[in-house]
Amino acid sequence: MPQSRRTRAPEIETDRLILRGHRRDDFPALAAMWADPEVTRFISGRPATEHESWMRYLRYAGHWIVMGYGFWATIRKDTGAFIGEIGFSDFKRPIDLPVRGLPEAGWAFVRSAHGQGFAGEALAACLAWSDKVARFPLTTCIIEPQNAPSIRLAERAGYKQAAVIAGTEGTPVGLYERVRPKNRQAPES
């Protein structure tokens, strides 16, 4: 849990991206992304309805208010376009997790952003924030075994598969864990 509660997502800049809190005008692009079967193939297995995307959008704001962490909208610096989202959550999933209450990393990007390194750049920025500011000792992520690009991304970022668990539909999913590197620990205050 972060030392002090944030009520809004901090803005983070990378070479090519701006990670910031979601804004109302992001919603059309967010809904279109979640309605794309290619984007949702390994996440829910089906495109999201506009209502489901709206509930997701509201949940993002609520995470920052209640938990002090959450998801960022991912924006290209050169075009200002919304290309995805990334961050941490505690969704209280209805599955049997070996550990509870740990921030779960997650990401989704529009199809046109796939394969360009945006997800890796954004994940590195999120984890740097997590290591320095939030100081989570451990984060997790849940990835479908067939989602090879997300598995590679997670592993490059330091996640290691800790277990195979039953997902929401009872199908096996990989539970990955990342321990905060010791050299990134912030001094105790």
Side-chain angles (χ1 to χ4, degrees), residues 115-127:
Q116 297 182 47
F118 292 123
E121 189 173 326
L123 183 56
C126 288
L127 292 172

Side-chain angles (χ1 to χ4, degrees), residues 123-185:
L123 183 56
C126 288
L127 292 172
W129 175 85
S130 165
D131 293 343
K132 183 178 179 187
V133 178
R135 298 177 11 193
F136 303 133
L138 179 75
T139 58
T140 65
C141 59
I142 297 171
I143 306 174
E144 294 279 338
Q146 300 83 9
N147 192 346
S150 277
I151 291 170
R152 283 191 303 273
L153 174 64
E155 289 175 343
R156 279 194 310 267
Y159 284 92
K160 297 191 180 345
Q161 187 169 348
V164 174
I165 59 173
T168 52
E169 302 298 320
T171 57
V173 293
L175 174 67
Y176 292 77
E177 295 179 345
R178 177 184 177 271
V179 175
R180 180 181 64 206
K182 297 223 184 289
N183 63 348
R184 293 215 180 148
Q185 288 180 345

